[in-house]
């Protein structure tokens, strides 16, 4: 696919909430001048979640969090807490000491964006190939406290990849040539769909891309944004750490969003992957997802209503179920964290069961400090 087609497809997927953000990250990070395979992670669980419950989606990948029960109010900024952590849990042989996403470098930030826009969303995706991990920073006019993509509003994204082995192979050079402060850039204009993009190479390991969605931004303004981009020190803070995951499961993406630091939403996306031989040529190894899980903390839950009542680490919880064909294999766990926060786990496949969901929830650490960038 040509890069502008892939970008438009990815942006439309975001707009319609058809797949989790990790798939978009994987696709955009894997664009090459030559044909190559990339893994679209999460499609199965997303399709299952969306099929029968309009509000249910693999919660925007990020970093769920078990806020300290009764200790953290929605507007508080507490120190790291691990109220759900169980003493001695780390002695189990299948405990992952720190299965969280690495703190990716912020790398770069634009000095100018259109009036009325602020940074409300950040997504981090693990490396899928030699383009390395991706950090996507999104500017919008506003965002709610729920799913940041459940609203068709104008958006400007900056894709940052600072560990690419071959930056030149990560951009499509068939677009319009453009100069970005002396660096080679390639501009793809909108085609009546309010979607455009501009990619440029910073150095031997860094490639950046601006992309618009539902936003009519002229080429001049797109170049103005790009030319205002400057290095930014520091790393992207992750407000939630998963202290335990079943053997073979690993985080692949995280998202944090919200109108301000006092009202954030976070999700972490986790998969259990394996390698199989391609069914097409019967010889190429391909990566497949055997299981998928999202863990989200926010002011409300996307899970169905009702369910059996239970207790998780001393907090009230419930286990919703679905009777429709698409949802029978999906597991849900919702925990009331107190202070107006809910923890929601949605998983399927990979041998995942409710006992494992409960243990994952009981070993989450939350540290919402460092989220002052929201709304700025």
């Amino acid at each position: 696919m040509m890069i502008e087609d892939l970008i438009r497809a990815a942006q439309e997927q975001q707009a319609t909430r058809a797949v989790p953000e990790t798939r978009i990250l994987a696709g955009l990070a894997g664009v090459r001048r030559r044909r190559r395979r990339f893994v679209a992670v999460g499609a199965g669980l997303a399709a299952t979640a969306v099929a029968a419950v309009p509000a249910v989606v693999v919660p925007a990948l990020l970093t769920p969090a078990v806020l300290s029960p009764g200790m953290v109010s929605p507007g508080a900024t507490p120190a790291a807490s691990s109220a759900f952590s169980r003493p001695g849990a780390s002695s189990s042989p299948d405990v992952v000491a720190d299965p969280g996403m690495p703190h990716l470098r912020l790398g770069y930030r634009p000095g100018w964006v259109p009036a009325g826009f602020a940074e409300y969303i950040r997504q981090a995706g693990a490396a899928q190939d030699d383009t390395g991990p991706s950090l996507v920073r999104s500017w919008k006019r506003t965002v709610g406290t729920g799913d940041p993509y459940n609203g068709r509003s104008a958006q400007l994204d900056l894709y940052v990849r600072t560990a690419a082995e071959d930056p030149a192979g990560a951009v499509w050079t068939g677009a319009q040539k453009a100069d970005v402060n002396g660096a080679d850039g390639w501009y793809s204009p909108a085609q009546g769909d309010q979607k455009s993009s501009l990619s440029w190479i910073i150095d031997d390991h860094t490639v950046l891309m601006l992309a618009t969605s539902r936003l009519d931004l002229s080429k001049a303004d797109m170049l103005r944004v790009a030319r205002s981009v400057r290095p930014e020190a520091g790393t992207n803070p992750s407000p939630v750490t998963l202290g335990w995951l079943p053997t073979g499961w690993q985080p692949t993406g995280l998202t944090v969003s919200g109108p301000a630091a006092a009202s954030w939403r976070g999700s972490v996306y986790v998969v259990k992957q394996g390698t199989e031989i391609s069914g097409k040529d019967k010889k190429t190894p391909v990566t497949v997802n055997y299981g998928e899980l999202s863990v989200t903390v926010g002011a409300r839950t996307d899970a169905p209503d009702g369910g059996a009542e239970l207790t998780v680490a001393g907090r009230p919880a419930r286990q919703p179920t679905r009777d429709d064909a698409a949802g029978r294999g999906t597991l849900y766990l919702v925990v009331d964290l107190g202070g107006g926060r809910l923890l929601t786990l949605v998983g399927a496949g990979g041998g995942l069961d409710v006992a494992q969901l409960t243990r994952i929830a009981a070993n989450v650490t939350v540290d919402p400090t460092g989220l002052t960038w929201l709304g700025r």
Side-chain angles (χ1 to χ4, degrees):
M1 297 178 66
M2 299 179 72
I3 188 169
E4 65 264 37
D5 296 327
L6 186 56
I7 291 170
R8 289 187 176 88
Q11 291 171 326
E12 189 61 29
Q13 288 169 346
Q14 284 183 325
T16 60
R17 302 171 71 235
V19 297
E21 297 91 303
T22 39
R23 179 173 182 178
I24 297 165
L25 292 174
L28 288 169
V31 173
R32 310 289 291 182
R33 285 179 299 178
R34 58 186 179 275
R35 185 186 300 271
R36 64 175 302 132
R37 177 187 60 82
F38 67 86
V39 182
V41 297
L45 181 56
T48 300
V50 174
V53 183
V56 177
V57 142
V58 175
L61 20 160
L62 140 74
T63 140
V66 177
L67 302 177
S68 298
M71 296 174 60
V72 181
S73 65
T77 306
S81 60
S82 56
F84 275 27
S85 298
R86 296 176 179 172
S90 61
S91 62
S92 174
D94 58 348
V95 164
V96 180
D98 182 8
M101 288 287 297
H103 289 194
L104 300 182
R105 290 173 50 200
L106 293 176
Y108 296 86
R109 178 187 180 91
W112 181 87
V113 295
F117 280 70
E119 189 177 9
Y120 287 117
I121 309 170
R122 285 183 186 173
Q123 303 174 67
Q128 296 290 334
D129 54 23
D130 57 7
T131 60
S134 298
L135 177 64
V136 185
R137 307 178 64 170
S138 301
W139 281 259
K140 298 170 70 75
R141 291 191 176 95
T142 184
V143 72
T145 57
D147 180 356
Y149 300 103
N150 187 20
R152 303 182 64 81
S153 59
Q155 184 168 317
L156 173 65
D157 297 323
L158 173 63
Y159 292 77
V160 181
R161 297 190 292 272
T162 58
E165 295 181 17
D166 177 21
V171 297
W172 180 63
T173 57
Q176 298 179 18
K177 195 72 177 292
D179 177 87
V180 182
N181 298 329
D184 289 336
W186 295 269
Y187 171 71
S188 296
Q191 299 180 5
D193 54 5
Q194 297 183 301
K195 297 180 177 72
S196 59
S197 66
L198 173 62
S199 301
W200 70 104
I201 297 171
I202 297 293
D203 56 37
D204 291 342
H205 297 288
T206 305
V207 59
L208 306 180
M209 182 177 72
L210 287 171
T212 67
S213 179
R214 298 177 295 278
L215 175 62
D216 288 315
L217 198 63
S218 67
K219 180 178 180 179
D221 280 345
M222 184 77 92
L223 284 168
R224 182 179 179 184
V225 176
R227 291 166 179 167
S228 75
V229 170
R230 296 293 183 270
E232 183 173 21
T235 59
N236 182 48
S238 176
V240 175
T241 300
L242 303 182
W244 180 86
L245 286 173
T247 300
W249 290 77
Q250 59 184 4
T252 59
L254 62 84
T255 298
V256 62
S257 66
S263 51
W264 58 274
R265 167 190 166 102
S267 302
V268 62
Y269 183 66
V270 185
V271 298
K272 184 175 183 179
Q273 294 181 327
T275 301
E276 296 182 358
I277 299 302
S278 170
K280 293 184 177 180
D281 61 17
K282 308 299 182 182
K283 61 181 181 180
T284 303
V286 295
T287 300
V288 297
N289 288 352
Y290 296 123
E292 298 166 315
L293 167 70
S294 68
V295 189
T296 299
V297 155
R300 58 177 181 261
T301 181
D302 290 331
D305 295 333
E309 296 183 357
L310 61 157
T311 300
V312 176
R315 302 300 303 175
R318 59 188 180 87
Q319 181 193 344
T321 58
R322 286 167 51 187
D323 295 329
D324 58 287
R328 290 194 191 107
T330 304
L331 298 176
Y332 296 90
L333 180 63
V334 182
V335 185
D336 187 344
L337 307 178
R341 293 282 184 179
L342 296 171
L343 168 66
T344 302
L345 292 85
V346 184
L352 197 65
D353 58 32
V354 174
Q356 291 175 329
L357 287 187
T358 301
R359 188 171 179 184
I360 292 169
N363 284 275
V364 173
T365 298
V366 177
D367 182 3
T369 58
L371 299 184
T372 54
W373 59 267
L374 283 165
R376 299 177 61 181

